[in-house]
Amino acid sequence: MADLILEVDNLTKHYRAAGSFFASGTRLVRAVDGVSFAIEEGSTFALVGESGCGKTTITKVLLRLEEPTSGVVRFRDKVVHDLTGPDLRAYKGTVQAVFQDPYSSMNPRMRVIDIIAEPLKVHENLGGAALRNRVGQLLKDVGLSPTAAALYAHQFSGGQRQRIAIARALALRPKLMILDEPVSGLDVSIRAQILNLLVELQKNYGLSYLLISHDLAIVEHMSHTVGVMYVGKLVELASKEALYSDPLHPYSKALLAAVPQPDPDLPMAATVAGEVASPINPPPGCRFHPRGHHLDRAAIGDRKAIYDACIREL
Amino acid sequence: MSARTDTVLPTPDKKADADILLRVEGLKTYFFTRNAVLKAVDGVSFTVRKGEAVGLVGESGSGKSMTCLSIMRLVPTPGARIVGGEVWFEDADLLAMSEQDLRGYRGRRMAMIMQDPQTSLNPVYTVGDQVSEPIRLHLKERGERVMAKVMEALRAVRIPQPEVRVTQYPHQFSGGMRQRVVAAMGLTTHPELLIADEPTTSLDVTIQAQFVSLIKDLQRESGTSVIWVTHDLGIVAQCCDRVNVMYAGRVVESAEVRKIFKAPQHPYTKALLDSVPVKGKKKKRLYQIDGQPPALDRLPSGCPFWPRCPHAMDICKEQYPPKTSAGVDDFVHCWLAEK
């Protein structure tokens, strides 16, 4: 087994939501509830789930934008939330993120060169020709012309902007990239360009990816291991092959079956009744059980180890 | 002699025109800005038969939403204007009739579901109020009959506990339920044509599946024709009988759904299909369409797809390809098909 770059152990993040006008006191939003997974060096780990399942909260905790309520995140054996000073700075350079919206994630008043150079100035004290060369190289690596450096972000299309965002994330030669819905905001014909670029960069830069997506076809294309989340819980953790050929958790099954396939000969997407539960007062036991499907214990068989996360919730 | 051939040979490439519900012919909707005229819809033609589900597929800026707004005569003014073409709803030209006459069609015989249920519902009125509006306005119902119809509409879109839900406000509904309310509003008048403009884009996967199957069920029950506007090829494959692929303001290919997916004619259709990852099909690298959809103020000459087309020839750069007929209603605009 390859080395682990990131280990998330029993991570929990609860938020306090203000009570309503009549009910005083606060309510607990169980955004992430005891989630554990690990990412192997050089691989892509995907988290899938619907809105409110906690996948974005996890990225916030990993980026140290939020403190966990409990649980531990280890990056190469160092506990992420104990890092301070230079160690923390180094960590922030090593873990970078690309977000969904290439329009709001860039300062409209900065030129591309400044957008990409900012982390280099802050972290590596680069300047002058060295800085310009690095930016030029980064632009080339993401498939843009170095002349793009002099332009503003608004002069680019969505796909090109996402390339700039990727160049900015790559500037500090990170080891782990968090890709939060990296192509959801893009046109269909542009998505393939960005996905291909990300696969290429992973090879050339030796990157590990944490991919957050709700698009199961993209997850299948990109990832090695997949975690399926539902209302704050990781309900299934499996290799991509196992999950897509034989999902065990009823929610994983429902999610996979719900995706309409681009082939008119395949049957219509199956539906599961009910709505996604609320992370405030989630249902007891398996949070998916009110939607009427149950896990077949016998089917788990020898895949017990990998489905540990799932089994715990029964 | 000629009369005889007319009757004996009911021209095989003209399936009974009587079952055509909507015929869009050379529709042009332009935006007039200070610096340029943007041809958002530039000569769009397609037909929708009774009970048929027709897809309008394309990327942002391809003109699919503007086409629908033009059919409903709801183009944003000032700014945009329908400058040419005809939209025949059975035997009436929607573009030629008065606002007054149009009211007999818009909202009554044809309805539209927009992308975002959040903004198409009024936050300060109860759901019951909003669903009852078309019932009062178009069906001229009054008194208790209104509430009965509202309940019926909410039940039709499978909203649980409608008697509780009618008195609630949109914010008390989830995204999926809100979209059902919008559908209920559109469907109360039993329209013959339903235009669904990206109705599931803001919904989660399992909720999207519920909504799509709901619309399909309603379509089957009532024989409504549906125009699905989407960029999701999965929805197209699962929902549509016929597909119109749009690029830069024009329909570049129109064909029956299996033909689009199994034997696409236009290089853009082909490229689009190859560029999406498909569940269970291993692709090492996705086919990528280089470049980007063209900006409307900088459209390339000739066929607007040529700069991204792997088969571009000299003529493609000079002249827009004519319509090549490929079956009853099927056609493609490509010089390759012309040869």
Side-chain angles (χ1 to χ4, degrees):
Chain A
M1 196 164 151
D3 291 339
L4 299 179
I5 188 161
L6 189 88
E7 264 179 286
V8 174
D9 190 8
N10 210 7
L11 181 69
T12 298
K13 175 72 197 173
H14 292 174
Y15 293 97
R16 296 204 170 275
S20 70
F21 186 75
F22 298 105
S24 59
T26 52
R27 293 175 296 174
L28 217 50
V29 181
R30 297 165 195 275
V32 175
D33 222 2
V35 168
S36 305
F37 62 86
I39 304 177
E40 286 179 19
E41 198 92 48
S43 77
T44 301
F45 180 88
L47 280 179
V48 294
E50 298 178 274
S51 44
C53 73
K55 51 197 198 305
T56 298
T57 303
I58 290 181
T59 68
K60 284 186 185 160
V61 171
L62 297 189
L63 291 167
R64 289 242 356 203
L65 299 170
E66 296 278 5
E67 294 290 312
T69 307
S70 68
V72 182
V73 178
R74 277 188 214 90
F75 181 81
R76 291 184 166 162
D77 295 329
K78 282 189 192 145
V79 175
V80 167
H81 285 81
D82 291 346
L83 296 174
T84 49
D87 289 343
L88 178 59
R89 273 170 73 102
Y91 173 76
K92 288 195 166 177
T94 334
V95 179
Q96 289 284 317
V98 175
F99 296 100
Q100 170 171 359
D101 186 359
Y103 293 85
S104 60
S105 57
M106 255 172 266
N107 186 336
R109 298 176 61 174
M110 284 165 84
R111 288 175 193 279
V112 168
I113 183 161
D114 299 318
I115 291 171
I116 299 176
E118 196 173 30
L120 291 168
K121 286 183 200 154
V122 173
H123 283 267
E124 295 187 11
N125 250 329
L126 276 187
L131 182 66
R132 278 195 301 280
N133 287 341
R134 268 286 278 285
V135 172
Q137 185 56 46
L138 283 164
L139 285 171
K140 259 190 244 161
D141 286 354
V142 298
L144 290 171
S145 144
T147 54
L151 303 174
Y152 289 93
H154 72 85
Q155 290 169 291
F156 295 89
S157 66
Q160 290 171 318
R161 253 185 256 212
Q162 204 57 306
R163 287 176 194 265
I164 296 168
I166 293 169
R168 173 176 61 184
L170 284 175
L172 297 172
R173 302 209 174 88
K175 291 292 159 213
L176 175 66
M177 280 244 262
I178 296 174
L179 309 169
D180 193 348
E181 303 272 6
V183 298
S184 308
L186 305 177
D187 263 324
V188 188
S189 75
I190 305 298
R191 287 184 187 174
Q193 294 177 7
I194 299 295
L195 293 177
N196 285 340
L197 174 69
L198 287 170
V199 171
E200 233 165 68
L201 290 172
Q202 179 165 44
K203 230 181 292 149
N204 299 345
Y205 277 73
L207 292 164
S208 309
Y209 285 150
L210 171 60
L211 173 68
I212 310 287
S213 182
H214 68 275
D215 187 324
L216 288 145
I218 287 174
V219 166
E220 185 185 24
H221 181 74
M222 297 283 292
S223 59
H224 303 100
T225 315
V226 186
V228 181
M229 289 192 70
Y230 186 72
V231 199
K233 293 278 187 189
L234 190 70
V235 297
E236 184 161 350
L237 180 69
S239 73
K240 173 184 74 182
E241 290 76 14
L243 181 73
Y244 279 81
S245 60
D246 184 19
L248 285 190
H249 195 282
Y251 178 65
S252 312
K253 283 184 191 168
L255 198 62
L256 282 167
V259 180
Q261 293 303 306
D263 183 343
D265 286 346
L266 290 176
M268 170 74 186
T271 60
V272 45
E275 295 188 38
V276 179
S278 159
I280 304 173
N281 292 324
C286 175
R287 292 179 180 181
F288 190 63
H289 87 267
R291 294 177 80 176
H293 294 257
H294 303 284
L295 178 57
D296 180 7
R297 277 164 187 272
I300 300 172
D302 55 345
R303 277 153 70 187
K304 238 183 170 66
I306 206 158
Y307 286 105
D308 195 31
C310 173
I311 291 160
R312 234 187 354 234
E313 297 311 322
L314 284 171
Chain B
M1 165 78 188
S2 66
R4 197 174 160 255
T5 36
D6 272 7
T7 45
V8 174
L9 292 174
T11 33
D13 52 347
K14 252 199 179 165
K15 224 170 17 185
D17 279 358
D19 74 342
I20 290 182
L21 180 71
L22 187 86
R23 191 161 55 84
V24 180
E25 200 69 64
L27 180 69
K28 291 183 181 184
T29 304
Y30 294 174
F31 277 93
F32 295 88
T33 69
R34 208 177 310 169
N35 306 319
V37 176
L38 305 179
K39 302 180 176 179
V41 179
D42 196 16
V44 163
S45 307
F46 65 94
T47 51
V48 180
R49 289 174 185 278
K50 287 184 183 151
E52 195 178 38
V54 170
L56 277 187
V57 192
E59 301 177 81
S60 44
S62 62
K64 49 196 199 305
S65 287
M66 278 315 285
T67 301
C68 296
L69 290 174
S70 304
I71 294 170
M72 298 287 280
R73 269 179 59 188
L74 288 172
V75 295
T77 48
R81 211 165 65 222
I82 301 170
V83 295
E86 292 158 13
V87 177
W88 291 91
F89 193 99
E90 288 187 331
D91 47 6
D93 186 355
L94 295 177
L95 299 188
M97 67 177 59
S98 68
E99 251 333 285
Q100 187 71 40
D101 291 341
L102 187 63
R103 271 182 227 159
Y105 290 85
R106 189 170 60 199
R108 194 189 166 103
R109 300 186 66 188
M110 53 182 194
M112 190 163 176
I113 302 176
M114 310 266 188
Q115 179 170 349
D116 186 0
Q118 185 79 56
T119 52
S120 37
L121 290 172
N122 190 329
V124 300
Y125 287 99
T126 64
V127 160
D129 279 337
Q130 300 187 56
V131 176
S132 71
E133 192 178 300
I135 297 170
R136 284 180 280 119
L137 208 68
H138 291 293
L139 304 182
K140 314 270 188 234
E141 296 286 5
R142 292 291 176 269
E144 278 174 16
R145 304 250 319 142
V146 176
M147 226 0 117
K149 287 254 178 194
V150 169
M151 291 295 179
E152 189 189 306
L154 293 180
R155 269 191 209 104
V157 295
R158 328 265 195 266
I159 288 182
Q161 292 183 286
E163 54 292 329
V164 181
R165 296 302 232 166
V166 280
T167 57
Q168 294 184 335
Y169 291 87
H171 75 267
Q172 292 166 295
F173 285 65
S174 66
M177 283 296 147
R178 255 184 237 142
Q179 198 58 297
R180 287 177 192 218
V181 171
V182 176
M185 286 170 70
L187 294 168
T188 46
T189 57
H190 301 290
E192 290 136 86
L193 176 66
L194 179 70
I195 300 177
D197 187 359
E198 308 245 15
T200 61
T201 332
S202 60
L203 305 182
D204 272 320
V205 192
T206 58
I207 308 302
Q208 163 177 297
Q210 291 172 1
F211 189 78
V212 165
S213 75
L214 173 74
I215 297 289
K216 281 192 74 163
D217 288 350
L218 295 176
Q219 188 198 358
R220 206 175 314 125
E221 287 159 22
S222 59
T224 312
S225 305
V226 182
I227 297 179
W228 284 96
V229 180
T230 181
H231 62 265
D232 187 328
L233 295 168
I235 292 192
V236 173
Q238 300 297 324
C239 299
C240 299
D241 303 312
R242 156 167 301 279
V243 186
N244 296 297
V245 181
M246 292 194 67
Y247 192 77
R250 304 179 200 242
V251 175
V252 295
E253 180 167 7
S254 178
E256 179 265 321
V257 66
R258 293 199 67 247
K259 215 161 132 191
I260 285 280
F261 282 88
K262 306 293 174 188
Q265 297 297 306
H266 199 284
Y268 175 64
T269 315
K270 253 180 242 176
L272 211 52
L273 289 170
D274 286 344
S275 71
V276 281
V278 179
K279 204 168 93 183
K281 250 183 225 164
K282 275 230 171 79
K283 291 181 183 173
K284 257 255 148 66
R285 200 182 142 82
L286 297 171
Y287 177 79
Q288 79 184 47
I289 313 177
D290 288 320
Q292 321 141 35
L296 286 176
D297 56 345
R298 287 185 301 260
L299 277 187
S301 59
C303 169
F305 188 60
W306 78 257
R308 307 174 76 189
C309 182
H311 312 288
M313 302 172 289
D314 285 340
I315 190 161
C316 305
K317 303 170 190 177
E318 287 151 18
Q319 233 183 315
Y320 189 74
K323 182 167 166 174
T324 308
S325 187
V328 187
D329 292 333
D330 302 0
F331 63 84
V332 60
H333 282 278
C334 180
W335 286 112
L336 285 178
E338 217 10 55
K339 283 209 299 187

